[in-house]
Amino acid sequence: MSVLSGAEPFVHEGSEDIGVLLCHGLTSTPQSMRPWAEHLAAAGFSVRLPLLPGHGTRWQDLNRTTWQDWYAEADRNYEALRERCRAVFVCGLSMGGTLTLRLAQRHPDIAGIVVVNPSVLTLRRFAKLLPVLSRFVPSIAAIAGDIAKPGASELAYDRLPLRAMASLQRLWALVRGELDAIEQPVLLMRSAVDRVVESASAAAVLRGVSSEDVREIVLSDSYHVATLDHDAPRVFSSSVEFIQRIHRERVEEAV
């Protein structure tokens, strides 16, 4: 199955000091993160933004994958950066934030993480029915393109594959159960208005991590896909400042 135009992965071989892995959200593609990736590359970092399995083709393909497939691709790209760079940071949007948290749990050597509107739970009633519903209903209408900025659009499926969503729900439970294993510096950015991921997700992350260096930024002028929205420049600049500060402090501690 051919990949949709614009959904291609992004790789930039920059600094050997700092590498950054970015992870996109469920039903989305690297297009939603491409401006962020390019900004990080312009800052001199090595950057990898993979297309996660089941994405960027047809929504039916996503139903044939599980969270283990998405995590394996993210992990493979993390290892590629780790082989090249002295320090690796991981950034994620929505479900990409879930993967970022899981990577931090499994790889204590990750230097720091940046999550934007990360998902680790939902309070919607249908979630309780999802394990059963997903066996009989292939998909429902997706909430894609939740962007306040006029003219901005997200390259994503217009259907939410329920078997894939049920798999993400299982990943949420794993991540929530081990949030206290995350000790790396954390920058969490969340939109004040998000019609996809409830604010309870960000609250659970902030409450659960063991990190001493935690910062929360509220994005007042963006919806869920903040990386394509009005606050995108703030997301980009704040992440660069965070990465540079953490790396500088790590170097100073090593001297």
Side-chain angles (χ1 to χ4, degrees):
M1 181 62 63
S2 60
V3 173
L4 297 172
S5 177
E8 301 85 2
F10 175 86
V11 176
H12 174 74
E13 301 291 358
S15 167
E16 293 184 1
D17 283 329
I18 300 173
V20 186
L21 168 65
L22 296 101
C23 303
H24 66 74
L26 187 72
T27 77
S28 192
T29 64
Q31 177 265 352
S32 65
M33 309 279 280
R34 183 68 178 254
W36 191 4
E38 292 176 346
H39 188 92
L40 293 167
F45 309 145
S46 289
V47 180
R48 296 184 76 94
L49 169 56
L51 173 65
L52 300 176
H55 294 79
T57 52
R58 306 179 309 150
W59 67 260
Q60 292 89 341
D61 296 328
L62 188 50
N63 258 344
R64 299 187 181 98
T65 65
T66 65
W67 75 261
Q68 289 93 337
D69 298 314
W70 317 326
Y71 178 85
E73 181 65 11
D75 190 67
R76 184 183 70 80
N77 280 268
Y78 163 72
E79 292 292 349
L81 282 169
R82 193 168 70 91
E83 290 179 3
R84 173 182 174 81
C85 303
R86 296 177 182 87
V88 178
F89 293 78
V90 184
C91 308
L93 168 66
S94 193
M95 181 268 284
T98 321
L99 293 174
T100 297
L101 294 166
R102 189 58 177 168
L103 283 164
Q105 291 169 344
R106 302 298 296 271
H107 296 287
D109 54 333
I110 287 174
I113 62 173
V114 181
V115 287
V116 179
N117 295 322
S119 68
V120 297
L121 56 83
T122 182
L123 303 177
R124 295 182 177 93
R125 291 182 178 180
F126 104 102
K128 295 181 179 179
L129 304 174
L130 190 55
V132 175
L133 188 63
S134 62
R135 300 176 188 174
F136 305 101
V137 180
S139 70
I140 60 174
I143 309 176
D146 189 32
I147 304 171
K149 184 178 180 179
S153 61
E154 178 186 19
L155 181 60
Y157 297 143
D158 61 2
R159 304 293 297 176
L160 175 62
L162 292 190
R163 284 191 291 276
M165 184 65 211
S167 186
L168 174 57
Q169 192 176 52
R170 293 190 290 273
L171 176 59
W172 285 347
L174 287 174
V175 170
R176 288 197 311 272
E178 298 180 25
L179 281 172
D180 61 353
I182 297 176
E183 299 181 348
Q184 298 96 328
V186 176
L187 172 59
L188 185 149
M189 292 182 266
R190 65 175 180 86
S191 299
V193 178
D194 187 335
R195 296 174 292 188
V196 178
V197 174
E198 301 102 314
S199 60
S201 265
V205 172
L206 293 171
R207 184 172 61 248
V209 298
S210 298
S211 314
E212 295 183 0
D213 187 339
V214 179
R215 183 186 179 196
E216 178 187 19
I217 295 176
V218 178
L219 306 171
S220 60
D221 199 21
S222 296
Y223 295 159
H224 182 65
V225 191
T227 52
L228 296 176
D229 218 324
H230 293 294
D231 290 302
R234 188 178 185 191
V235 171
F236 304 163
S237 62
S238 296
S239 62
V240 170
E241 291 168 6
F242 172 81
I243 290 168
Q244 290 176 334
R245 176 178 65 82
I246 297 303
H247 184 63
R248 182 174 62 252
E249 291 174 357
R250 283 165 56 93
V251 170
E252 290 172 353
E253 288 177 3
V255 174

